Amino acid sequence: MMNFTKLTAYLDTFYNEKNIPGLGVAMYHKHQPVYEHYTGFSDVENQVSFNRDSIFRLYSATKVVTCTALLQLLEQGKVKLTDPLYEYIPEFKHMFVRHSLPDGTTELLPAQHPITIEHLFTMTAGIETINTEAVHRAVADSNGEGQTLAVIKAVAQEPLAFEPGSHFKYTVCHDVLAALLEAITGQTFGQYLQANIFDPLGMKDTSFQLKDERRFCKLYNSFNGQTHRAESIGESFMLQPGRAYESGGGGLFSTVADYIIFAEALCNYGLAPNGERILRPDTVNVMRSKRLSPIAQQDFERFGGASKFGYSYGLGVRTLVNGEDNNSLSQHGEFGWDGARGCYVVIDPESEVTLFYAQQENGSPWYRWHGTVRNYAYASIWDA
């Protein structure tokens, strides 16, 4: 018998004890929906409840969708992980790397290796930011449109932070993957996702454009230690340098009802609840395989902190390699990611568990309670 009483009671404390305006959780076990719970508000001032139709920004939980889309192209033979990026976006052919000198200055030297497609998936390309002078010029030249591929071509003018493949650094690599997809398919990234992931799975509210303003969760930020205040509302991340830009790293809007279907498809080795297949089983296993060198793994551990103890990084997802390091109840090979305002997805094919937690509040230390939510959820399905 499953018993979700403790998980529900824990989540219901978040509004008062953790300052979270509203949240939603959905869970599948053995490929059946077993739990959904919503508490708090999408709009505190007007007492609008957070529910399964509340629309919020995924932020970096977008990355799992982006990498799934690129892996579809991999399955079709349109791209290989070992391919140099410049074969598709020539602007990346002659890159320079920024080297720090002992006297504190820097010098630029030609990169010894090309950026590969795998470097983009694994955040080891050395590409850092879309906030560059060249990008600002490209956006201005397009009258503020800033289409994805045009912006990323401008990013290529910036030197790399390190030699491709040598380190892990969490940056805009997955935005570059979105541009790569556009270069290969001739479609905008959003068009491709709509036709190949969202429509097949019935994800009616997931898009780079907000589908329904009335259902959108307010973007609360911590303000003088408090969140539930009108003056704390507003976007605080630069997701779009231009109006037409579609960020593969963090630009999607979604709902709990939509995203749990996508995550469950990956948990079932690419097969969605409605029978649609978005990836092959072997591709899902490639996605969640550890990809980092020992040096890059050290970088990842420094970046991730306690919330990533026991994990390594695969093709755009954390992947559990040692559950004892983080007291996890999930199984080896559990994978997923999180997002800047607190979204969190757990995909565990071995345990046949899919879990999605959503909140939209900036400034809360969500990385402290994601693991607790996960362990309460696992304990709930085992509770006799």
Side-chain angles (χ1 to χ4, degrees), residues 11 14 22 53 61-62 86 121 129 171 174 185 188 200 214 233 272 281 283 288 336 376:
L11 295 170
F14 279 33
D53 294 319
T62 298
Y86 69 72
F121 272 103
T129 179
T171 61
H174 294 169
T185 66
T188 69
R214 293 165 303 175
I233 296 166
T283 309
R288 65 190 181 122
Y376 264 125

Side-chain angles (χ1 to χ4, degrees), residues 4 7 27 353 355 372-382:
F4 292 96
L7 173 60
M27 186 178 182
V353 167
L355 177 70
T372 308
V373 172
R374 176 200 63 214
N375 283 356
Y376 264 125
Y378 275 81
S380 300
I381 58 173
W382 299 333

Side-chain angles (χ1 to χ4, degrees), residues 248-293:
L252 286 173
F253 296 92
S254 194
T255 61
V256 171
D258 272 9
Y259 201 90
I260 190 65
I261 291 170
F262 165 73
E264 165 58 21
L266 293 182
C267 185
N268 201 12
Y269 295 100
L271 187 66
N274 67 359
E276 291 284 336
R277 178 167 292 283
I278 56 170
L279 287 178
R280 294 199 297 255
D282 55 336
T283 309
V284 173
N285 284 332
V286 168
M287 186 184 203
R288 65 190 181 122
S289 297
K290 178 180 177 179
R291 291 273 165 175
L292 299 181
S293 69

Side-chain angles (χ1 to χ4, degrees), residues 174-195:
H174 294 169
D175 281 37
V176 184
L177 282 179
L180 170 68
L181 182 141
E182 294 193 352
I184 292 171
T185 66
Q187 296 174 277
T188 69
F189 190 48
Q191 286 168 345
Y192 179 90
L193 293 180
Q194 195 68 48

Side-chain angles (χ1 to χ4, degrees), residues 69-332:
L70 269 296
L71 288 170
Q72 290 181 338
L73 300 187
L74 198 81
E75 287 186 348
Q76 296 161 26
K78 293 179 179 175
V79 66
K80 297 195 297 292
L81 292 176
T82 53
D83 288 344
L85 174 59
Y86 69 72
E87 287 187 3
Y88 306 93
I89 308 178
E91 285 79 359
F92 285 93
K93 182 154 192 181
H94 300 292
M95 298 303 291
F96 284 84
V97 177
R98 193 180 289 112
H99 291 266
S100 298
L101 299 176
D103 63 3
T105 61
T106 60
E107 68 173 348
L108 300 180
L109 296 174
Q112 297 172 16
H113 306 283
I115 297 167
T116 68
I117 308 312
E118 181 167 349
H119 293 153
L120 297 175
F121 272 103
T122 58
M123 297 279 189
T124 58
I127 298 167
E128 290 200 274
T129 179
I130 55 171
N131 189 13
T132 71
E133 285 302 316
V135 167
H136 299 322
R137 284 195 302 272
V139 172
D141 290 345
S142 66
N143 293 317
E145 286 292 297
Q147 288 90 352
T148 305
L149 183 54
V151 165
I152 296 305
K153 286 179 176 179
V155 167
Q157 296 179 39
E158 193 71 13
L160 302 175
F162 47 78
E163 185 65 33
S166 65
H167 285 279
F168 171 94
K169 188 171 186 182
Y170 191 73
T171 61
V172 296
C173 286
H174 294 169
D175 281 37
V176 184
L177 282 179
L180 170 68
L181 182 141
E182 294 193 352
I184 292 171
T185 66
Q187 296 174 277
T188 69
F189 190 48
Q191 286 168 345
Y192 179 90
L193 293 180
Q194 195 68 48
N196 294 278
I197 296 178
F198 304 151
D199 283 347
L201 298 191
M203 297 169 68
K204 64 185 190 305
D205 290 315
T206 305
S207 173
F208 287 109
Q209 288 77 42
L210 179 57
K211 294 284 184 79
D212 186 348
E213 190 85 41
R214 293 165 303 175
R215 290 191 282 134
F216 184 53
C217 297
K218 288 188 175 178
L219 291 159
Y220 289 99
N221 300 287
S222 289
F223 183 82
N224 291 339
Q226 292 187 308
T227 295
H228 314 144
R229 300 168 65 115
E231 58 266 48
S232 78
I233 296 166
E235 182 56 83
S236 53
F237 300 93
M238 194 190 85
L239 296 169
Q240 289 182 282
R243 290 187 301 275
Y245 189 79
E246 295 177 331
S247 167
L252 286 173
F253 296 92
S254 194
T255 61
V256 171
D258 272 9
Y259 201 90
I260 190 65
I261 291 170
F262 165 73
E264 165 58 21
L266 293 182
C267 185
N268 201 12
Y269 295 100
L271 187 66
N274 67 359
E276 291 284 336
R277 178 167 292 283
I278 56 170
L279 287 178
R280 294 199 297 255
D282 55 336
T283 309
V284 173
N285 284 332
V286 168
M287 186 184 203
R288 65 190 181 122
S289 297
K290 178 180 177 179
R291 291 273 165 175
L292 299 181
S293 69
I295 290 173
Q297 177 68 26
Q298 290 176 0
D299 297 331
F300 176 74
E301 289 169 2
R302 279 193 294 271
F303 154 77
S307 73
K308 302 296 186 295
F309 284 175
Y311 289 97
S312 185
Y313 200 66
L315 296 180
V317 292
R318 66 165 198 278
T319 183
L320 189 65
V321 293
N322 185 353
E324 292 177 5
D325 281 359
N326 73 351
N327 300 312
S328 176
L329 296 182
S330 54
Q331 296 293 303
H332 182 92

